[in-house]
Amino acid sequence: MGPNIRFSSVIKGNAYGHGIDKFVPIAEWAGVRHFAAFSADEAYLVKQASTKKSGIMIMGYLSDDQLEWAIENEIEYYVFDLNRLKISIMTAQKIGKKAKIHIEVETGFHRTGFERSEFDEVIRLLKSGADDLDFEGLCTHYAGAESISNHVRVKQQYETYMEIYSRFLESGVRPKYRHTAGSAASLTYPETIMDMVRVGIAQYGFWPSPETLIHRFKKYDAKDSDLKRLLSWKTKVMEVKEIDVGEFVGYGTSYMAYEKKKIAIIPVGYSNGFSRSLSNSGRVLIHGVYVLVVGVVTMNTTTVDITHVPNVVPGDEVVLIGKQKRQEISIASFCEMSNMLNYQLLARLPQSIPRFITP
Ligand SMILES: *Cc1c(COP(=O)(O)O)cnc(C)c1O
């Protein structure tokens, strides 16, 4: 990102499925000293997992009592409405500690953020509450920097942000950090990097979109690009069976064996984040061979066709995402099969799946 750029590691959605408790120590080991959460419960998990006193920032929801906890624990948070700004000043006064706030401004995404009409009041409160506030950041979020089709909109948002920033400066309030960029913006529009970035998907080794990769490296194949996937997803064969010609597999009649088949049942279904839309179309690796999902993915099980893979027995490793021998199932190909974004697939991996750090 460049020298002296504050790197905030985005860990919402259970660290994009990786597990906050597992991911934070890895990130700190790699030098990360700032984390961005969506909510107070996530910030709490970061605090528990951190051993380096890293900075923590909440970008989304906070109730009033959580706000008190945040100030007490020197956790930074977004402020996007006047009420929260006033409550911050009052609470900080009460506790006797400064509230570390990031003012989020609306530039065209239309989620949270102060509107133009509110800026005068925001600036007035920032000045009058200066003894109780640390104005940590002035921030906004782009509406889809991962897609070239949003180019004009992103540029417009950038311009709008810069105008707003000037207006704040001219009024005599200066944020410590200007930050607008997530993964896609920082990789595609370097001018959006400013003083700080909030990087999520890319730090886990995934591209925000194929377009971002193409823009950055002028190629489509992510294999030898700079990003390395951190996560693999594995299970074990639960049962092996033979079925006769004309038999149906699983619920309903969506799959009928047109020849004698051998199938393996794996203990992963849509309750584990293996989408039902992978029915009769997904694939996994067994013994280093791609095998197809046959029949309907159920809540807890999936059936795959192992007719052409010899000697499969219960307990054999099954790879859903990651490498096995010389083959690999990337999350991108997985997503194409199931029409899901990288983001969605990762965030849907249930917390109940045990996660292990391997060297
Ligand atoms: C999720 C999020 C990010 C990170 O986005 P990536 O595309 O995963 O890098 C940054 N900023 C905000 C406000 C977010 O909600």
Side-chain angles (χ1 to χ4, degrees):
M1 294 297 161
N4 303 321
I5 308 294
R6 190 196 218 184
F7 182 94
S8 185
S9 159
V10 179
I11 52 77
K12 66 192 181 196
N14 197 27
Y16 291 52
H18 292 67
I20 290 175
D21 58 327
K22 296 289 188 298
F23 182 74
V24 166
I26 298 176
E28 288 189 331
W29 172 81
V32 170
R33 292 293 181 272
H34 197 267
F35 293 91
F38 175 77
S39 54
D41 58 313
E42 291 171 346
Y44 178 78
L45 292 175
V46 175
K47 204 168 150 50
Q48 293 221 304
S50 167
T51 57
K52 305 281 184 200
K53 302 192 166 60
S54 295
I56 305 172
M57 171 175 85
I58 297 169
M59 303 185 291
Y61 185 70
L62 263 184
S63 64
D64 291 347
D65 52 333
Q66 289 170 335
L67 191 138
E68 189 164 336
W69 172 80
I71 298 173
E72 190 67 62
N73 288 280
E74 293 169 28
I75 288 169
E76 303 157 36
Y77 57 90
Y78 275 33
V79 173
F80 38 73
D81 65 65
L82 289 168
N83 208 27
R84 193 186 270 195
L85 188 51
K86 289 174 192 156
I87 292 173
S88 295
I89 296 170
M90 274 159 28
T91 312
Q93 254 167 15
K94 190 177 99 186
I95 300 177
K97 254 185 171 175
K98 283 189 168 189
K100 294 170 168 290
I101 59 163
H102 294 255
I103 297 291
E104 186 184 19
V105 292
E106 176 57 64
T107 55
F109 184 42
H110 299 296
R111 190 165 64 180
T112 47
F114 284 107
E115 304 280 347
R116 208 166 272 274
S117 59
E118 297 171 301
F119 292 160
D120 284 341
E121 181 66 0
V122 172
I123 290 166
R124 193 187 66 74
L125 285 166
L126 283 175
K127 285 179 160 173
S128 65
D131 289 344
D132 301 299
L133 298 173
D134 269 335
F135 185 16
E136 286 283 323
L138 183 72
C139 53
T140 194
H141 191 56
Y142 296 108
E146 72 286 344
S147 172
I148 287 162
S149 62
N150 297 326
H151 184 83
V152 174
R153 194 168 166 205
V154 170
K155 285 278 180 195
Q156 185 63 53
Q157 283 191 267
Y158 172 79
E159 300 296 332
T160 305
Y161 175 87
M162 293 311 280
E163 262 170 50
I164 297 171
Y165 176 63
S166 301
R167 179 160 166 189
F168 273 67
L169 282 195
E170 282 157 19
S171 310
V173 284
R174 178 191 288 272
K176 261 189 229 158
Y177 296 93
R178 295 165 302 157
H179 56 103
T180 63
S183 301
S186 55
L187 289 164
T188 313
Y189 304 92
E191 69 274 24
T192 64
I193 292 175
M194 304 181 188
D195 310 315
M196 168 171 168
V197 290
R198 309 179 303 257
V199 172
I201 195 94
Q203 67 176 335
Y204 304 101
F206 299 99
W207 292 92
S209 67
E211 284 162 79
T212 316
L213 168 63
I214 290 169
H215 175 90
R216 185 74 177 180
F217 289 104
K218 304 281 180 262
K219 64 185 179 192
Y220 183 75
D221 186 2
K223 276 206 187 95
D224 49 336
S225 73
D226 289 13
L227 298 182
K228 301 271 184 292
R229 174 174 44 71
L230 286 188
L231 174 135
S232 305
W233 187 14
K234 296 174 181 178
T235 185
K236 286 174 179 169
V237 172
M238 178 176 155
E239 171 80 302
V240 173
K241 276 192 177 166
E242 291 193 352
I243 52 169
D244 269 337
V245 180
E247 299 283 352
F248 296 100
V249 172
Y251 289 123
T253 54
S254 73
Y255 181 83
M256 185 181 79
Y258 54 86
E259 60 184 13
K260 213 170 149 61
K261 288 279 186 197
K262 214 162 136 195
I263 56 174
I265 292 122
I266 59 174
V268 171
Y270 58 79
S271 75
N272 311 108
F274 196 77
S275 172
R276 196 168 178 280
S277 62
L278 293 163
S279 299
N280 284 308
S281 66
R283 51 182 198 167
V284 302
L285 286 167
I286 297 181
H287 292 191
V289 180
Y290 291 112
V291 299
L292 286 172
V293 171
V294 291
V296 176
V297 173
T298 74
M299 192 180 288
N300 297 105
T301 63
T302 297
T303 304
V304 294
D305 179 358
I306 52 161
T307 309
H308 303 291
V309 191
N311 308 321
V312 176
V313 294
D316 285 357
E317 182 190 79
V318 182
V319 170
L320 309 172
I321 293 169
K323 278 199 186 117
Q324 198 183 48
K325 295 194 177 162
R326 256 186 255 116
Q327 302 299 345
E328 178 166 10
I329 298 190
S330 69
I331 211 156
S333 69
F334 195 102
C335 294
E336 277 157 26
M337 288 188 288
S338 68
N339 267 326
M340 270 198 280
L341 289 170
N342 282 347
Y343 293 88
Q344 192 192 356
L345 188 131
L346 290 168
R348 281 165 52 117
L349 291 175
Q351 302 205 10
S352 57
I353 300 177
R355 282 139 171 96
F356 304 98
I357 299 174
T358 56

